[in-house]
Amino acid sequence: MTEPSAAGRRTGRRPGSPDTRDRILTSARELFARDGMDKTSMRAIAAAAGVDPALIHHYFGSKRELFLAAIELPVDPQAVISALAAAPVDELGAVLIRNLLQLWDSEARDALLAIFRSNVAAGDTAVIRSFILDVMLKDIAPRVDSPQGSGQTRITLVASQVSGLLLTRYLMKFEPLASMAADEVVVAVAPTVQRYLTGRID
């Protein structure tokens, strides 16, 4: 299949063969689950699906968009990512927790829980790890890389806090955490997240 020219493209959902698109998604799910987003290349997905790599860009745009489509996330996390990008470094902890809670307390909660629960049950930890580290937190690492080389360690520590919070508040429903108001959770958790981001971790 020949990729259409830029002038001939339309905005919105990209047209094309449903069979080809489904093969790409199936291959992407398998590779993302096995290797995670960061270690999975577009070429590897294309090879597994038996298509030209250009078709993946045609249907999905970027690897991030393909990943989100593959895990069938019911919401776009861009609101959280944009809020983090706009936040001062010394407010990242509070902004992250506040926006994550807003996302999980929205109408998408049941769908998010279903995805989280199914991946935990299936042992697909690479998918959860990639979503938190490679989608949600990746752009933060360079901003908190002080001392140099600590950025990845910092966001990994943040990921441990975030995944634990989501697990205990929404999936396991530990009380009183499960019933706490979002503002209370931000006050309790954000300082620890902020310390991971900008405090001493040695």
Side-chain angles (χ1 to χ4, degrees):
M1 177 176 177
T2 302
E3 185 179 8
S5 66
R9 294 177 186 163
R10 296 179 180 177
T11 58
R13 184 173 178 178
R14 294 174 174 83
S17 165
D19 179 64
T20 300
R21 192 175 187 278
D22 288 345
R23 289 208 318 273
I24 293 171
L25 284 172
T26 298
S27 298
R29 288 189 189 104
E30 293 174 354
L31 293 178
F32 286 145
R34 188 187 72 191
D35 302 325
M37 176 181 165
D38 190 48
K39 294 181 180 179
T40 300
S41 69
M42 298 284 255
R43 286 190 174 278
I45 294 170
V51 302
D52 190 295
L55 279 176
I56 299 181
H57 293 284
H58 167 60
Y59 289 130
F60 300 98
S62 67
K63 185 163 70 168
R64 174 182 170 275
E65 290 173 329
L66 174 59
F67 178 80
L68 294 176
I71 66 174
E72 300 179 322
L73 197 69
V75 292
D76 188 343
Q78 188 57 46
V80 179
I81 296 169
S82 297
L84 290 171
V89 171
D90 60 357
E91 296 178 13
L92 284 172
V95 170
L96 173 61
I97 298 303
R98 183 177 300 109
N99 279 272
L100 275 179
L101 293 178
Q102 288 176 354
L103 188 66
W104 278 75
D105 288 335
S106 70
E107 294 179 353
R109 179 195 298 185
D110 289 346
L112 287 168
L113 274 172
I115 293 172
F116 197 84
R117 184 181 289 110
S118 64
N119 280 279
V120 169
D124 290 340
T125 55
V127 171
I128 298 174
R129 181 175 67 248
S130 287
F131 176 69
I132 295 175
L133 291 177
D134 300 328
V135 176
M136 299 293 297
L137 301 178
K138 185 175 183 179
D139 292 342
I140 297 178
R143 300 179 63 193
V144 297
D145 192 32
S146 179
Q148 187 173 5
S150 67
Q152 188 63 35
T153 298
R154 290 182 182 280
I155 66 167
T156 301
L157 290 170
V158 170
S160 73
Q161 188 73 30
V162 167
S163 58
L165 173 62
L166 297 179
L167 180 68
T168 54
R169 177 174 168 86
Y170 297 104
L171 189 60
M172 301 177 72
K173 297 183 178 180
F174 284 3
E175 294 292 356
L177 177 60
S179 300
M180 288 173 65
D183 287 344
E184 293 180 288
V185 179
V186 172
V187 169
V189 176
T192 298
V193 173
Q194 189 64 46
R195 181 177 68 80
Y196 287 154
L197 290 169
T198 56
R200 292 190 60 175
I201 56 172
D202 54 1

